[in-house]
Short mmCIF file of all heavy atoms in Angstrom, two decimals:
data_model
loop_
_atom_site.label_atom_id
_atom_site.label_comp_id
_atom_site.label_asym_id
_atom_site.label_seq_id
_atom_site.Cartn_x
_atom_site.Cartn_y
_atom_site.Cartn_z
N LEU B 61 16.37 1.98 -15.44
CA LEU B 61 15.48 0.99 -14.85
C LEU B 61 14.15 1.65 -14.54
O LEU B 61 14.12 2.74 -13.94
CB LEU B 61 16.07 0.45 -13.54
CG LEU B 61 17.07 -0.69 -13.62
CD1 LEU B 61 17.55 -1.08 -12.22
CD2 LEU B 61 16.47 -1.90 -14.32
N VAL B 62 13.08 1.01 -14.93
CA VAL B 62 11.74 1.56 -14.67
C VAL B 62 10.91 0.48 -13.96
O VAL B 62 10.71 -0.61 -14.48
CB VAL B 62 11.04 1.96 -15.98
CG1 VAL B 62 9.64 2.50 -15.70
CG2 VAL B 62 11.88 2.99 -16.73
N TYR B 63 10.49 0.82 -12.74
CA TYR B 63 9.63 -0.09 -11.97
C TYR B 63 8.21 0.46 -12.02
O TYR B 63 8.00 1.64 -11.71
CB TYR B 63 10.08 -0.14 -10.51
CG TYR B 63 11.44 -0.71 -10.27
CD1 TYR B 63 12.57 0.09 -10.23
CD2 TYR B 63 11.61 -2.09 -10.07
CE1 TYR B 63 13.83 -0.45 -10.00
CE2 TYR B 63 12.86 -2.64 -9.84
CZ TYR B 63 13.97 -1.80 -9.80
OH TYR B 63 15.21 -2.34 -9.57
N THR B 64 7.26 -0.35 -12.39
CA THR B 64 5.85 0.07 -12.32
C THR B 64 5.10 -0.92 -11.43
O THR B 64 5.44 -2.11 -11.40
CB THR B 64 5.21 0.10 -13.72
OG1 THR B 64 5.47 -1.13 -14.39
CG2 THR B 64 5.77 1.25 -14.54
N PHE B 65 4.11 -0.38 -10.74
CA PHE B 65 3.38 -1.18 -9.75
C PHE B 65 1.89 -1.14 -10.05
O PHE B 65 1.40 -0.17 -10.61
CB PHE B 65 3.66 -0.63 -8.34
CG PHE B 65 5.10 -0.78 -7.94
CD1 PHE B 65 6.06 0.14 -8.33
CD2 PHE B 65 5.50 -1.88 -7.20
CE1 PHE B 65 7.39 -0.01 -7.99
CE2 PHE B 65 6.83 -2.04 -6.86
CZ PHE B 65 7.77 -1.11 -7.25
N PRO B 66 1.20 -2.21 -9.64
CA PRO B 66 -0.24 -2.27 -9.92
C PRO B 66 -0.96 -1.01 -9.41
O PRO B 66 -0.54 -0.43 -8.38
CB PRO B 66 -0.71 -3.51 -9.15
CG PRO B 66 0.53 -4.31 -8.92
CD PRO B 66 1.67 -3.35 -8.84
N PRO B 67 -2.02 -0.59 -10.10
CA PRO B 67 -2.79 0.58 -9.65
C PRO B 67 -3.15 0.46 -8.17
O PRO B 67 -3.47 -0.63 -7.68
CB PRO B 67 -4.04 0.54 -10.53
CG PRO B 67 -3.59 -0.17 -11.77
CD PRO B 67 -2.58 -1.18 -11.32
N GLY B 68 -3.05 1.57 -7.46
CA GLY B 68 -3.41 1.57 -6.04
C GLY B 68 -2.24 1.26 -5.14
O GLY B 68 -2.33 1.41 -3.92
N THR B 69 -1.12 0.83 -5.73
CA THR B 69 0.06 0.54 -4.90
C THR B 69 0.76 1.84 -4.53
O THR B 69 1.03 2.65 -5.40
CB THR B 69 1.09 -0.33 -5.67
OG1 THR B 69 0.43 -1.49 -6.14
CG2 THR B 69 2.27 -0.71 -4.79
N THR B 70 0.98 2.05 -3.26
CA THR B 70 1.76 3.22 -2.83
C THR B 70 2.88 2.73 -1.93
O THR B 70 2.62 2.04 -0.95
CB THR B 70 0.87 4.21 -2.05
OG1 THR B 70 -0.34 4.41 -2.77
CG2 THR B 70 1.59 5.53 -1.85
N PRO B 71 4.12 3.04 -2.29
CA PRO B 71 5.22 2.55 -1.47
C PRO B 71 5.37 3.36 -0.19
O PRO B 71 4.91 4.50 -0.09
CB PRO B 71 6.44 2.79 -2.37
CG PRO B 71 6.07 4.00 -3.15
CD PRO B 71 4.59 3.89 -3.39
N HIS B 72 6.07 2.73 0.75
CA HIS B 72 6.53 3.48 1.92
C HIS B 72 7.94 3.89 1.57
O HIS B 72 8.75 3.06 1.14
CB HIS B 72 6.52 2.58 3.16
CG HIS B 72 7.17 3.18 4.36
ND1 HIS B 72 6.64 4.30 5.00
CD2 HIS B 72 8.32 2.88 5.00
CE1 HIS B 72 7.44 4.60 6.01
NE2 HIS B 72 8.46 3.79 6.02
#
Side-chain angles (χ1 to χ4, degrees):
Chain B
L61 275 180
V62 179
Y63 296 91
T64 50
F65 295 83
T69 305
T70 313
H72 171 66

